[in-house]
Each structure stands twice: as structure tokens, then as C-alpha cells.
């Protein structure tokens, strides 16, 4: 039988121009290139500065950056000239533009019919718009670091490229949505605002639960415990325990049943208050077996634990190798491995292996012909007319669909009265239900704005049938149930695709739908643990550290939206639907990419540096007079001279031994002490502005709840006031993308109360008032959550 011909990649119809610098730009372009778009990367004469980022490898034509190669594989590399810029801009459907704001305004690029997306640290308006920035200073200002690290400080700041990767995904999602909508657009994306999504849990919960917004120590986060990384007989185990049932199973696994019976250990926050005492008991037990043995035991007990691998082990993990999670990148004469894109579209997966261009390699190529013009869209939402059924709960799935709802898609959130979204709350006490406290949680409201909401008990034939009828009129379904749930309910992808053959359906298992880990339970922290990120962050003498309460959740949600939009663009061009198997752990790998690539290319990920940086000195987190902290990054030699002038240390600026990076590296501790001596005399805000006035990258380490009053975000109208039943007035964070020079995409409606849109949605399926009343009487639909004591049927696990 002849082999099936290879399918066209989903973004092959598009041409993309990438101009400017930075990881966010390159990663947005990578998403286009690896899904088949023809991407033209314009570099300045002498090459993109990223070509000098470690690790450097010998290409046969000199030394070049392996990280640059991974970010820019499958692109065409050309040297920027005014003529080439203009010719390519006229020939491309998309212009991704990360040039400085003044340069973009002086020389705009892009045909009138193109989607033109400007990518910058802080957007094109507001008091921070011209701030000097790096990945860590932007994330500090976004509230990402404040809750991580020793209780007494300094906050622990994960290095690498995590913040820019998040910004790149946001840029891709906004651009892809406008391509799907069919109209031209001018957009701007703020890397700073994109990273606020990582801090949203603390920003929302901290309003009513202040204990969430504190540093409790390395590997400790409210509102639960234990949550961290622990040494075993061999290797490290990532542990996350949330519910009383999980804590009991954990204690039974360690043969410590009495520990679970202590009333001080039932509530998660109480366990955190007694964390020292608890760890003194269970940590020695973990030393009795290897991390792999404990992980296998946790799989049997359905506990959300993971082996925390170092980079060499991560690259060798059979589960990841079977999914082609890593693939070869070629740069000149050298080959090494890097992460593949996590958006695993089953019909049209992304390219795995890739070749990156040497500097100016494609300069001889003639520009492609111009694109025919498309209408310019100044108003309207790009995804209007798209209908998505949201079967997800918690953080990652709802964040995926929230992005599409913000862009105009009709998102119908489906819950059950018996088992509502767990972010409405999991309190089993009767008063929680009689007082409808499940309608008061701000976390739920932030993740589910701009959506409608219905209830359906999918364990009943009537509820399952109504979902199928909904799917007939839908474009996509998003779900994050445990793998076995929808097949048991008769609602898995083959069944739903029979109702709508061109359906796009996205599933979000922790480790993928196949393989020995397919049934593993995971929280966002589990995904971070399994990614290996804790082994490369923190100080060298620390255990591997958890960097966020639940890093994998927002990262999974952002990547899921990118996957869904890509599949919908393919469907628009071909009429084909498909299933997406998004392994959420793989969404974390791009954040770990610098160390994965270094391991593959050089045999080592390099040392753990804590808050220091391999190419920037001084670099770190410094104490201020108001008990706050300031992130500072001296990016190059001229910035060092400006820093010395700003802090009143002309002696250091005049010292020739410190004029270059190697000299500063040799005296790093001395320079850090000098900078800390200056910051201690100033409040964090004043110190930041003084350094920024000198052109030095600096950012206050912001507490998440204080972002609501951040002057830059206020000036950009990032926080939008809304009102909702039961909750009353509250503020919603905006999407990190907006029309260029315009207002944020609006919060058009608050999150739905339970079953709020039952009548409207079900009437649209032809059910009259009598039919709806019968369904309510049978408990298939409703508007009040059923107390735990009255639930007769088992919940679909999620």
C-alpha cells in the first residue's frame, strides 16, 4: 500500500517578516516557522546580538550561539538593509517588529493588508514604555519573583529566557487570531503584561487571602504544603500535596499513618505553618528509596509527584523520546538537540528537526513577490463568530479559552452542579453551599470572564446528548479531564468528531495521552518539577527549587491557545479538523531550553548561578530602604559606566580592571556589595527610576496584589473594572495584546454564575421552557451547586 503523502504544514500559506531583536521576537517567529510559514529573519550587519549568547559552538565558519540556532531554525536569514526591509514587508502577511519604538514610528513596515505586531518590553504607552529592561527586570515588575526564595530574601529570580518565551507566545496568539479573522491589523504586545499571567494566582487570591502573598522559604508556597523538591536515596522527588486525601495517601506511602490523623495537618495552610516539623518527620523516609521508585509508587496511588531530572536525564527520558520532545538542530557543521514545539497537532504536527541560517546566509535570495492587499480592520474582534465548548477546569484550560474569548470567540463553559469548576472552591462544609460561597472566588472570575456558562451532568444520557448537540454547532472543544473520563462517558474525540467532522479538539494531559505516564496526576508545580527547571535555578548549595506555586498552569494555558489557533488556521484552509494532544510538561521545555541546549551541545548545563548571570555583572536582587527589593541587570560595559555614575561611585567607573566583563566577574561580590550599599539608602521605586534615568535595566520586585496600583499599568488601563453577582465590583487584568496605540481588548462580561446561561444556550438547541424545567427537576441542569453530602454519582476526575 503506498505511503500517505506528507501533509502540508498548517501555516505554510503564510509569509512572515521578523525584524528587531530579542528572544520574544525570535520565539514568536519560531512558532510560525516550525509550523511551516516562510519566515524571513532580518539581522543587523554583523548578526543578531543573540548570536553571541552562550552556549557558543563551532560551526565551521566561526563560533555562534546554539540558543540562537534553536530559536531561529527553519527560517531564512538575511541582513537588514532599507531596500530589503521594504521589499520583504510588501511581500509578507505578517510583520513581527521588535525594533525600538522610535525606530518603528520613524520607519513603519508592513503592507496595508498585513498583520503588524509590535513586540516590546512594556508596550508603546505609559511611563515605562522606554525603560531599559531584561528578562528578569520585566518579570520582577510583573510580580513573578516576589513570593519565591528565602523568607528573609533576597527573592529568588529564575534566569534564562522564561519571560520572553511567554511574551513570544502572546505575540503569536494575537497575530494568529487576526490571521484567522481574515482582516489586517496593527497590534502591540507587552512582554511585561504577558508575564502577569504567571502571577495571577497570587494577585487574585492575595486580595482576600493575604497569606498567599508571602515568601515562606525555599520550596514553600501558600496555600499548601508540602510543595517542593526533596532528596531521595538517589535523585530528587517533586512533591505536591493539596487535599486531605492526598496527604493521607502520602503518609501511607511513607508508612506514617499517624501523621495524617493529626488535626493540625488536615488543612493545607496548617501543614504549611508546621512545615519544619513535618519535613523533619517525612524527609528521612524519602531517603530510603530512589526518586524513581517513589514516583512509580505515586503513580499507583495517583499522587501528583514527579522525578526532578537533571538535564542529561531529561534528554534521555524514554517517555519524552517516544514523543519526539527533543530533536536535532543544525547550525553550519554542528548538530545538537533542543525542545520541539509542544503544540502536538495529531494531523499536522510541527517540524521537529531544523536547520538555522548562518549570518547573512540567504542574502542572495531575491525577495518574494508582493502579497495582494487585504482589507484593513480597525474595529471588531478577530474571533467573532467562532464557538468553543470549554470543558476545562482550574487554571490552564480556562486560561487557554479566556485568551480566545478576549479576542471575540463565543466560549461556552460547561460545568455540572454536582461537580463545578474546582476554582469555585472545594470546601465540603454545608455552609459553603447554602451561602453560595462558590460564587465568590476571584480566581474563577478572572479566568472565566467573557464566557457564557451552562451546567450539564455529563454522566446522564440527557446531559451527554445535549453536549453532542452543542458540539454540532461548535468549532472547537477544550478539555482537561483525566484521560479515561471522556471515553467512559462516550464523549471522546472520535464520538464528538462524528457529530462535527471538522471539529478541533484539544486535550491537556500532563505527560501526553500515550505511554506509561499517561494517567499521572499533576498540578502546575508537578509539571515544573518534571521539566527539570528546579535543577538549574537557585543557588548552587540549595536543593533544586520550585520557582512558582504552579508554573505549569499558565504556561500550559498560553501554549494551548497557540495550538488551538494553529489547528483552526489549518481547518480554515483545508476543512480538516483534528485532535491535539498537548502534553503540558512539554510546554515547560522552552523555558528550560538554554540548559537543555547547553547539555546537548557542550555536555553540561553550566553552573547554577542563583541571581547572577553568565554575561551580566553585576546582576541580582538588591535590598532597599523600604524593605523592598530591586532587580538590576548591567547588560554591557557602557551600562556599567552609567551605573557607577548613577550610584555615585566614580572610583569604580574609573577602575580599568572593571571596565570589561571578565574584570567585573573576578570582583563580583565586591560590586554587589557596593550596589547594595546604595540601594539600602533608597526606596525601591526611587532607586529604580534613578537607575532607569541612567539607562540601566532595573525593576522593583513587585508584590502581585500591588500591580493593581502600578502607575504604568494604571496609565495603560490594564486593570478593567467590572461587577458580578455575589462578588460585586472587582478588577480584571487585560490581555497582554491590544490594537496598536489603542485600548485593551474589553472585558465585555464578567464570569458566569453557575448555570447562568442555561436558558439562552439550551433554547438555542430548541429546548422550550418545559423541557428545561424537566431537565432541572432531574438534576441534569441547574444553578446551584449540589453539596458533597448529596452527591450520588462520582465526579469526572480532572
Amino acid at each position: 500500500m503506498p505511503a500517505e503523502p506528507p501533509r502540508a504544514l498548517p501555516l505554510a500559506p503564510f509569509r512572515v517578516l521578523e525584524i528587531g531583536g530579542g528572544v520574544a521576537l525570535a520565539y514568536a517567529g519560531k512558532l510560525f516557522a516550525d509550523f511551516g510559514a516562510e519566515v524571513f529573519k532580518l539581522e543587523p550587519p554583523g548578526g543578531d546580538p543573540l548570536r553571541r549568547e552562550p552556549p557558543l559552538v563551532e560551526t565551521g565558519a566561526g563560533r555562534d550561539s546554539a540558543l540562537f540556532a534553536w530559536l531561529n531554525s527553519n527560517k531564512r536569514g538575511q541582513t537588514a538593509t532599507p531596500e530589503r526591509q521594504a521589499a520583504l514587508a510588501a511581500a509578507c502577511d505578517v510583520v513581527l517588529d521588535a525594533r525600538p519604538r522610535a525606530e518603528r514610528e520613524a520607519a513603519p513596515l508592513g503592507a496595508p493588508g498585513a498583520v503588524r505586531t509590535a513586540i516590546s518590553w512594556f508596550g508603546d504607552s505609559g511611563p515605562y514604555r522606554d525603560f531599559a529592561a531584561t528578562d528578569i527586570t520585566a518579570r520582577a515588575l510583573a510580580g513573578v519573583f516576589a513570593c519565591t526564595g528565602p523568607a528573609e530574601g533576597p527573592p529568588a529570580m529564575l534566569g534564562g529566557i522564561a519571560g520572553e518565551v511567554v511574551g513570544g507566545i502572546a505575540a503569536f496568539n494575537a497575530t494568529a487570531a487576526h490571521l484567522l479573522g481574515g482582516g489586517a491589523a496593527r497590534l502591540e504586545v507587552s512582554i511585561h503584561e504577558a508575564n502577569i499571567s504567571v502571577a495571577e494566582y497570587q494577585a487574585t487570591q492575595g486580595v482576600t487571602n493575604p497569606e498567599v502573598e508571602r515568601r515562606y522559604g525555599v520550596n514553600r508556597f501558600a496555600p499548601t504544603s508540602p510543595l517542593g523538591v526533596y532528596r531521595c536515596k538517589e535523585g530528587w522527588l517533586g512533591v505536591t500535596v493539596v487535599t486531605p486525601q492526598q496527604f493521607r495517601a502520602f503518609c501511607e506511602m511513607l508508612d506514617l499513618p499517624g501523621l495524617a490523623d493529626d488535626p493540625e495537618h488536615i488543612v493545607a495552610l496548617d501543614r504549611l505553618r508546621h512545615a519544619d516539623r513535618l519535613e523533619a518527620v517525612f524527609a528521612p523516609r524519602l531517603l530510603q528509596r530512589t526518586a524513581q521508585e517513589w514516583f512509580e509508587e505515586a503513580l499507583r496511588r495517583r499522587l501528583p509527584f514527579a522525578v526532578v531530572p537533571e538535564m542529561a536525564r531529561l534528554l534521555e527520558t524514554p517517555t519524552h523520546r517516544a514523543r519526539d520532545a527533543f530533536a536535532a538542530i543544525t547550525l553550519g557543521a554542528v548538530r545538537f538537540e533542543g525542545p520541539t514545539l509542544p503544540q502536538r497537532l495529531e494531523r499536522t504536527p510541527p517540524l521537529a528537526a531544523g536547520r538555522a541560517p548562518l549570518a547573512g546566509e540567504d542574502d542572495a535570495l531575491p525577495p518574494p513577490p508582493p502579497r495582494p492587499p487585504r482589507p484593513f480592520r480597525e474595529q471588531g474582534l478577530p474571533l467573532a463568530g467562532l464557538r468553543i465548548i470549554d470543558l476545562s477546569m482550574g487554571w490552564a484550560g480556562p486560561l487557554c479559552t479566556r485568551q480566545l474569548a478576549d479576542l471575540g470567540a463565543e466560549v461556552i463553559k460547561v460545568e455540572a452542579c454536582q461537580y463545578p469548576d474546582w476554582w469555585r472552591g472545594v470546601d465540603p462544609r454545608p455552609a459553603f453551599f447554602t451561602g453560595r460561597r462558590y460564587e465568590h472566588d476571584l480566581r474563577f472570575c478572572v479566568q472565566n470572564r467573557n464566557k457564557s456558562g451552562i451546567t450539564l451532568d455529563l454522566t446522564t444520557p440527557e446531559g451527554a446528548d445535549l453536549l453532542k448537540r452543542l458540539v454540532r454547532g461548535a468549532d472547537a472543544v477544550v478539555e482537561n479531564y483525566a484521560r479515561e473520563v471522556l471515553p467512559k462517558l462516550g464523549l471522546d474525540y472520535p464520538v464528538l468528531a462524528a457529530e462535527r467532522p471538522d471539529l478541533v479538539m484539544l486535550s491537556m494531559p500532563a505527560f501526553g495521552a500515550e505511554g506509561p505516564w499517561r494517567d499521572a496526576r499533576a498540578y502546575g508545580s508537578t509539571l515544573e518539577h518534571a521539566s527539570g527547571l528546579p535543577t538549574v535555578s537557585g543557588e548552587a548549595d540549595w536543593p533544586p527549587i520550585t520557582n512558582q506555586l504552579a508554573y505549569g498552569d499558565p504556561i500550559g494555558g498560553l501554549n494551548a491557545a497557540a495550538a488551538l489557533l494553529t489547528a483552526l488556521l489549518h481547518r480554515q484552509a483545508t476543512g480538516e479538523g483534528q485532535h491535539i494532544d498537548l502534553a503540558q510538561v512539554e510546554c515547560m521545555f522552552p523555558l528550560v531550553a538554554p540548559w537543555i541546549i547547553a547539555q546537548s551541545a557542550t555536555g553540561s548545563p553550566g553552573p547554577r548561578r542563583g541571581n547572577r548571570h553568565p554575561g551580566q555583572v553585576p546582576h541580582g536582587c538588591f535590598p532597599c530602604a523600604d524593605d523592598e527589593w530591586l532587580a538590576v541587570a548591567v547588560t554591557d560595559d557602557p551600562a556599567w559606566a552609567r551605573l557607577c555614575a548613577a550610584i555615585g561611585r566614580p572610583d569604580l567607573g574609573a577602575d580599568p580592571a572593571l571596565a570589561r566583563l571578565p574584570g567585573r566577574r573576578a570582583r563580583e561580590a565586591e560590586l554587589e556589595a557596593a550596589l547594595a550599599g546604595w540601594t539600602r539608602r533608597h526606596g525601591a521605586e526611587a532607586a529604580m527610576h534613578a537607575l532607569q534615568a541612567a539607562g540601566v535595566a532595573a525593576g522593583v520586585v513587585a508584590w502581585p496584589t500591588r500591580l493593581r496600583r502600578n502607575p504604568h499599568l494604571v496609565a495603560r488601563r490594564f486593570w478593567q473594572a467590572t461587577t458580578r453577582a455575589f462578588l460585586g465590583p472587582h478588577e480584571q487584568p487585560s490581555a497582554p495584546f491590544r490594537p496598536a496605540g489603542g485600548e485593551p481588548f474589553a472585558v465585555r462580561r464578567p464570569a458566569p454564575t453557575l448555570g447562568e446561561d442555561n436558558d439562552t444556550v439550551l433554547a438555542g438547541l430548541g429546548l422550550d421552557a418545559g423541557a428545561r424545567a424537566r431537565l432541572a427537576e432531574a438534576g441534569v441542569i441547574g444553578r446551584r451547586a449540589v453539596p458533597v453530602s448529596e452527591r450520588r454519582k462520582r465526579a469526572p476526575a480532572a
Side-chain angles (χ1 to χ4, degrees):
M1 192 175 197
E4 184 178 348
R7 293 183 180 275
L9 288 163
L11 302 185
F14 300 107
R15 288 196 200 120
V16 178
L17 173 62
E18 184 184 312
I19 184 167
V23 170
L25 170 73
Y27 195 74
K30 179 179 178 64
L31 284 158
F32 277 102
D34 286 1
F35 272 113
E38 188 177 18
V39 177
F40 296 89
K41 182 174 187 64
L42 289 184
E43 303 181 54
D48 190 313
L50 279 174
R51 288 188 181 273
R52 297 183 282 279
E53 285 293 310
L56 299 178
V57 292
E58 183 56 57
T59 68
R63 291 176 64 75
D64 215 332
S65 168
L67 178 63
F68 172 91
W70 173 73
L71 285 165
N72 293 287
S73 58
N74 300 314
K75 301 177 186 177
R76 299 185 183 277
Q78 297 185 321
T79 304
T81 65
E83 297 77 18
R84 184 173 284 127
Q85 288 177 194
L88 284 173
C92 289
D93 308 283
V94 170
V95 176
L96 299 174
D97 195 341
R99 294 176 295 165
R101 179 179 59 86
E103 187 177 341
R104 283 189 278 110
E105 291 176 352
L109 288 173
V115 178
R116 292 175 282 174
T117 303
I119 303 170
S120 63
W121 288 112
F122 298 104
D124 287 349
S125 62
Y128 296 174
R129 68 178 187 176
D130 293 322
F131 266 20
T134 68
D135 201 290
I136 67 111
T137 62
R139 279 187 285 151
L141 282 163
V144 173
F145 297 135
C147 300
T148 304
E152 69 280 3
M157 303 191 304
L158 169 68
I161 61 174
E164 289 196 80
V165 166
V166 169
I169 299 168
F172 175 84
N173 289 349
T175 306
H178 283 80
L179 289 173
L180 189 62
R186 292 179 61 240
L187 306 168
E188 64 173 79
V189 175
S190 162
I191 298 170
H192 170 235
E193 291 170 8
N195 279 275
I196 291 173
S197 65
V198 177
E200 276 183 350
Y201 183 94
Q202 287 100 340
T204 53
Q205 278 294 88
V207 173
T208 53
N209 301 92
E211 68 274 2
V212 169
E213 196 182 44
R214 282 177 48 193
R215 274 191 310 280
Y216 288 86
V218 173
N219 281 317
R220 291 183 183 173
F221 294 89
T224 195
S225 181
L227 189 161
V229 182
Y230 298 94
R231 187 185 295 277
C232 299
K233 182 178 181 181
E234 177 185 306
W236 298 88
L237 186 70
V239 173
T240 304
V241 174
V242 176
T243 67
Q245 295 81 3
Q246 288 171 348
F247 186 65
R248 179 169 296 279
F250 176 56
C251 294
E252 290 172 353
M253 184 177 85
L254 298 179
D255 195 24
L256 293 168
L259 208 61
D261 294 329
D262 189 326
E264 290 186 334
H265 301 158
I266 295 173
V267 178
L269 271 172
D270 286 343
R271 295 197 298 271
L272 180 61
R273 295 183 183 104
H274 301 294
D276 285 340
R277 186 179 72 195
L278 279 172
E279 288 181 9
V281 177
F282 72 72
R285 294 295 180 100
L286 290 172
L287 293 171
Q288 296 174 359
R289 300 173 72 178
T290 69
Q292 183 63 37
E293 289 169 338
W294 286 125
F295 173 59
E296 291 170 359
E297 182 68 26
L299 281 176
R300 288 190 288 272
R301 296 175 182 268
R302 303 175 84 81
L303 285 169
F305 298 175
V307 173
V308 182
E310 295 182 342
M311 294 299 101
R313 181 170 182 176
L314 178 69
L315 280 164
E316 296 168 356
T317 302
T319 296
H320 304 325
R321 304 305 303 189
R323 288 179 56 86
D324 297 323
F326 310 108
I329 302 296
T330 302
L331 178 64
V334 70
R335 283 165 59 91
F336 54 88
E337 288 193 316
T340 56
L341 292 184
Q343 286 80 12
R344 197 59 51 91
L345 278 60
E346 292 185 351
R347 185 185 292 272
T348 55
L351 295 169
R355 182 180 177 280
L358 297 169
E361 181 176 320
D362 298 312
D363 281 353
L365 289 175
R371 288 295 206 208
R374 292 188 299 175
F376 186 84
R377 172 180 291 168
E378 293 207 13
Q379 295 182 345
L381 294 170
L383 299 185
L386 193 74
R387 174 178 273 197
I388 299 168
I389 308 303
D390 185 357
L391 301 179
S392 68
M393 296 187 183
W395 192 349
L399 177 58
C400 165
T401 53
R402 184 186 87 184
Q403 294 169 84
L404 278 62
D406 287 348
L407 289 160
E410 179 193 9
V411 176
I412 301 175
K413 183 175 181 67
V414 180
E415 304 173 78
C417 293
Q418 296 80 3
Y419 313 106
D421 188 311
W422 62 72
W423 264 20
R424 290 185 183 273
V426 292
D427 193 330
R429 293 172 293 184
F432 181 78
F433 295 90
T434 56
R436 300 180 77 170
R437 298 299 303 171
Y438 50 83
E439 298 290 10
H440 294 249
D441 200 302
L442 185 56
R443 296 172 303 170
F444 175 88
C445 294
V446 166
Q447 296 302 334
N448 293 286
R449 54 135 182 267
N450 287 335
K451 304 176 186 178
S452 56
I454 68 170
T455 52
L456 289 176
D457 184 353
L458 300 180
T459 66
T460 66
E462 298 88 348
D465 179 67
L466 286 169
L467 180 68
K468 292 176 187 177
R469 292 169 64 179
L470 268 178
V471 166
R472 290 172 201 162
D475 299 281
V477 172
V478 175
E479 63 92 8
N480 64 351
Y481 290 121
R483 179 192 59 84
E484 72 278 5
V485 171
L486 289 182
K488 285 182 180 178
L489 296 175
L491 295 170
D492 54 356
Y493 174 68
V495 173
L496 296 182
E499 302 290 335
R500 174 80 188 238
D502 64 348
L503 181 72
V504 173
M505 183 166 176
L506 182 140
S507 300
M508 305 177 67
F511 297 101
E514 302 297 334
W517 299 354
R518 63 184 183 178
D519 293 323
R521 293 293 186 262
Y523 293 108
S525 52
T526 318
L527 302 168
E528 182 191 342
H529 294 157
S531 76
L533 191 62
T535 69
V536 295
S537 52
E539 300 292 341
D541 59 344
W542 290 359
I545 74 162
T546 312
N547 290 278
Q548 281 292 320
L549 171 70
Y551 221 150
D553 282 311
I555 300 302
L558 295 168
N559 278 281
L564 200 63
L565 288 163
T566 302
L568 288 167
L569 281 165
H570 172 76
R571 190 188 76 156
Q572 185 180 71
T574 66
E576 294 177 335
Q578 61 181 304
H579 187 235
I580 304 167
D581 174 22
L582 187 88
Q584 289 193 68
V585 69
E586 294 172 14
C587 298
M588 292 294 298
F589 292 165
L591 277 60
V592 198
W595 298 280
I596 294 172
I597 292 165
Q599 176 70 48
S600 178
T602 71
S604 169
R608 295 171 71 191
R609 298 181 181 273
N611 287 344
R612 290 177 171 177
H613 189 277
Q616 301 173 12
V617 177
H619 180 283
C621 199
F622 299 90
C624 296
D626 51 4
D627 293 325
E628 302 296 330
W629 295 85
L630 185 71
V632 180
V634 174
T635 54
D636 54 25
D637 297 335
W640 164 247
R642 296 194 299 271
L643 175 79
C644 292
I647 67 173
R649 292 297 303 268
D651 56 317
L652 296 176
D655 189 337
L658 300 175
R660 299 287 181 266
L661 175 66
R664 295 196 297 277
R665 175 73 70 209
R667 294 164 60 183
E668 192 161 15
E670 174 193 342
L671 303 184
E672 289 170 346
L675 180 53
W678 179 81
T679 59
R680 284 192 178 96
R681 300 195 300 272
H682 302 274
E685 190 81 13
M688 175 182 72
H689 283 286
L691 293 181
Q692 285 288 349
V696 177
V700 174
V701 180
W703 289 102
T705 56
R706 298 186 195 174
L707 294 172
R708 285 177 169 76
R709 300 296 171 257
N710 176 276
H712 177 75
L713 296 172
V714 170
R716 284 176 57 78
R717 296 182 177 86
F718 178 78
W719 297 100
Q720 299 187 46
T722 190
T723 299
R724 178 182 176 276
F726 299 97
L727 189 64
H730 62 283
E731 291 176 309
Q732 290 271 350
S734 296
F737 35 74
R738 64 177 66 188
E743 296 293 311
F745 287 103
V747 176
R748 305 182 304 280
R749 63 165 285 178
T753 57
L754 190 65
E756 179 178 344
D757 300 288
N758 283 347
D759 287 343
T760 301
V761 173
L762 296 181
L765 295 179
L767 276 70
D768 61 20
R772 298 195 300 273
R774 288 189 292 275
L775 289 170
E777 178 66 24
V780 177
I781 65 173
R783 296 188 178 181
R784 297 183 72 103
V786 176
V788 174
S789 60
E790 298 178 20
R791 295 174 186 173
R792 295 184 299 275
K793 297 178 181 176
R794 187 181 169 213

